[in-house]
């Protein structure tokens, strides 16, 4: 009886799937990340595949590469060109990161992009937003000695790469879109930039770091050196504090903003001693950096906490002066 039922299932399955379209995964490229810019009336796109899916075929004259670039007068054409040019299918449903040139953060360009993503079934919404003001071929092309991309974790697994984000974490696409349509909303977007340093073998090495932030809503760009307290506005997995009077390592730092009953910023973190810094000294250091950073923005009429949006959504009447900061530290 069981054999008859199994045979019947196989026959029905074959009938139902007859004529179905199958994709050979060996003939499909999974796009991990892509870059967009707009210049001289054309969209520029560079697509990045991980090491297991390279563009082109190996030969003496044309080696494989992890990137492919195209231009077109609209987004549909640009994304179709990669499909038409290559002999394989391009899978966009597993894109983890999208890098925008800073000049792409204009209302009309972003709205066109949102509509394109919404109306094209090839795309999922589960990716993170980055920015850059550098040549994307440099950002995507930097290699470590083991030939892996220095920021490959950021491209392929942004949510699990907290150690890379020195000033702010990337924002999820759906959150970015929601905030965009909320209006008057400042969004903090990490920027990728290249840097050079000397190795122990006296060789000049290039790498990509994320120590700059693009402020969508104001167009301002800040670096960690210029704004060392900026990092404390978000969450931190681990950070070494090496101040003249405070030396320690903070871990599992979380910054939450409460708005329902009172306007309160609550910081919870653990710390590890590296010298004689006390818990109170660490607390005072964090509070000082937070206040310095927040004071700078509000003295310059930049609503970094989006208080205007908070008041609109929750029918409040808060101002920056109402904010209370609470810091809870444990060893």
């Amino acid at each position: 009886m069981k054999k008859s039922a199994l045979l019947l299932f196989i026959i029905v399955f074959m009938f139902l799937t007859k004529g179905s379209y199958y994709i050979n995964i060996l003939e499909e490229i999974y796009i991990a990340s892509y870059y967009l810019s707009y210049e001289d009336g054309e969209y520029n796109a560079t697509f990045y595949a991980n090491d297991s899916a390279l563009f082109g075929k190996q030969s003496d004259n044309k080696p494989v590469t992890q990137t492919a670039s195209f231009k077109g007068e609209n987004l549909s054409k640009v994304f179709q060109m990669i499909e038409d040019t290559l002999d394989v299918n391009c899978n966009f449903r597993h894109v983890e990161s999208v890098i925008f040139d800073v000049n792409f953060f204009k209302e009309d360009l972003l709205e066109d992009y949102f509509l394109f993503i919404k109306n094209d079934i090839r795309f999922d919404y589960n990716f993170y937003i980055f920015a850059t003001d550098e040549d994307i071929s440099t950002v995507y092309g930097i290699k470590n000695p083991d030939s892996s991309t220095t920021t490959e974790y950021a491209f392929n697994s942004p949510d699990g790469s907290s150690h890379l984000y020195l000033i702010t974490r990337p924002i999820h696409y759906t959150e970015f879109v929601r905030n965009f349509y909320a209006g008057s909303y400042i969004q903090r977007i990490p920027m990728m930039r290249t840097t050079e340093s000397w190795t122990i073998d006296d060789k000049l090495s290039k790498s990509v770091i994320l120590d700059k932030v693009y402020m969508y809503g104001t167009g301002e760009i800040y670096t960690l050196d210029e704004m060392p307290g900026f990092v404390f506005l978000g969450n931190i997995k681990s950070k070494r504090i090496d101040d003249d009077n405070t030396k320690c390592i903070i871990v599992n730092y979380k910054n939450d903003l409460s708005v329902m009953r009172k306007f309160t910023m609550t910081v919870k973190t653990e710390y590890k001693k590296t010298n004689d810094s006390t818990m109170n000294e660490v607390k005072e250091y964090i509070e000082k950096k937070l206040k310095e950073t927040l004071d700078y923005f509000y003295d310059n009429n930049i609503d970094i906490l989006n208080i205007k949006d908070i008041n609109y959504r929750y029918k409040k009447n808060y101002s920056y002066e109402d904010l209370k900061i609470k810091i809870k530290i444990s060893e």
Side-chain angles (χ1 to χ4, degrees):
M1 183 67 181
K2 290 183 178 179
K3 290 183 178 180
S4 300
L6 179 61
L7 179 61
L8 178 62
F9 172 78
I10 293 173
I11 293 173
V12 172
F13 179 80
M14 291 176 65
F15 174 78
L16 292 175
T17 58
K18 185 178 180 181
S20 297
Y21 177 65
Y22 292 94
I23 296 177
N24 184 344
I25 60 173
L26 297 178
E27 297 178 353
E28 188 170 35
I29 287 181
Y30 286 80
I31 305 299
S33 175
Y34 60 85
Y35 159 86
L36 286 175
S37 66
Y38 188 81
E39 187 177 3
D40 299 329
E42 284 189 315
Y43 289 91
N44 304 289
T46 298
F47 301 93
Y48 175 92
N50 59 33
D51 284 330
S52 62
L54 304 178
F55 299 114
K57 297 180 179 180
Q58 184 69 52
S59 68
D60 293 336
N61 298 325
K62 188 178 181 181
V64 296
T65 177
Q66 285 185 259
T67 62
S69 300
F70 300 91
K71 292 183 179 182
E73 66 260 12
N74 57 61
L75 288 168
S76 295
K77 185 172 182 179
V78 170
F79 279 82
Q80 190 60 44
M81 285 175 70
I82 186 174
E83 297 272 2
D84 296 341
T85 303
L86 302 175
D87 294 331
V88 294
N89 297 302
C90 289
N91 189 317
F92 295 103
R93 297 193 68 82
H94 298 279
V95 167
E96 295 285 349
S97 60
V98 174
I99 307 172
F100 291 125
D101 183 90
V102 290
N103 294 320
F104 198 90
F105 288 99
K106 297 176 181 176
E107 187 173 341
D108 56 338
L109 293 177
L110 289 173
E111 285 189 323
D112 285 347
Y113 175 75
F114 297 156
L115 289 173
F116 171 69
I117 294 295
K118 178 182 177 181
N119 295 325
D120 197 313
I121 62 172
R122 293 176 297 172
F123 298 93
D124 200 353
Y125 301 153
N126 193 25
F127 55 86
Y128 291 82
I129 301 296
F130 295 85
T132 190
D133 55 2
E134 297 198 11
D135 186 341
I136 194 60
S137 63
T138 302
V139 174
Y140 276 151
I142 289 179
K143 300 289 182 179
N144 277 335
D146 60 359
S147 295
S148 63
T149 312
T150 57
T151 48
E152 190 166 4
Y153 282 118
F155 299 147
N156 292 297
S157 183
D159 194 38
S161 306
S162 58
H163 62 287
L164 295 174
Y165 311 125
L166 303 182
I167 189 166
T168 191
R169 294 174 61 88
I171 187 169
H172 194 275
Y173 173 74
T174 54
E175 182 182 356
F176 179 74
V177 174
R178 180 186 67 81
N179 294 341
F180 174 87
Y181 286 110
S184 301
Y185 210 99
I186 293 176
Q187 307 202 60
R188 297 168 250 170
I189 303 171
M191 292 183 64
M192 296 184 176
R193 74 176 183 90
T194 56
T195 185
E196 294 181 339
S197 60
W198 292 96
T199 67
I200 57 175
D201 300 325
D202 289 331
K203 294 181 179 179
L204 191 61
S205 173
K206 289 186 177 182
S207 60
V208 175
I209 60 175
L210 294 96
D211 66 345
K212 295 171 64 176
V213 58
Y214 176 80
M215 303 277 285
Y216 177 75
T218 69
E220 301 284 341
I221 295 174
Y222 300 100
T223 67
L224 186 60
D225 289 339
E226 297 169 336
M227 194 73 64
F230 197 102
V231 66
F232 295 110
L233 295 177
N235 297 332
I236 308 169
K237 186 67 176 177
S238 177
K239 177 179 174 60
R240 177 181 291 275
I241 296 176
D242 195 10
D243 189 68
D244 290 339
N245 300 316
T246 308
K247 299 182 187 297
C248 70
I249 298 174
I250 59 171
V251 294
N252 299 323
Y253 175 100
K254 296 187 181 300
N255 185 323
D256 293 317
L257 197 63
S258 302
V259 300
M260 297 307 294
R261 294 185 178 180
K262 294 182 179 180
F263 192 31
T264 306
M265 177 178 288
T266 302
V267 170
K268 295 181 181 180
T269 187
E270 304 167 28
Y271 90 107
K272 300 177 182 179
K273 290 184 179 180
T274 57
N275 71 344
D276 296 328
S277 293
T278 66
M279 191 177 294
N280 282 334
E281 287 173 338
V282 176
K283 179 180 178 180
E284 289 172 2
Y285 175 85
I286 293 174
E287 186 172 12
K288 176 186 175 183
K289 290 300 179 184
L290 276 172
K291 287 184 175 180
E292 286 177 354
T293 305
L294 292 169
D295 286 347
Y296 167 83
F297 284 115
Y298 283 97
D299 287 346
N300 288 276
N301 298 315
I302 299 174
D303 186 11
I304 186 67
L305 298 179
N306 293 299
I307 298 175
K308 181 179 178 181
D309 183 69
I310 289 171
N311 289 336
Y312 174 79
R313 290 191 191 187
Y314 301 103
K315 302 187 184 314
K316 302 292 183 179
N317 192 32
Y318 293 135
S319 67
Y320 174 53
E321 288 71 23
D322 297 319
L323 180 68
K324 305 298 181 185
I325 297 177
K326 296 182 178 180
I327 301 176
K328 302 177 182 179
I329 299 180
S330 61
E331 290 191 64

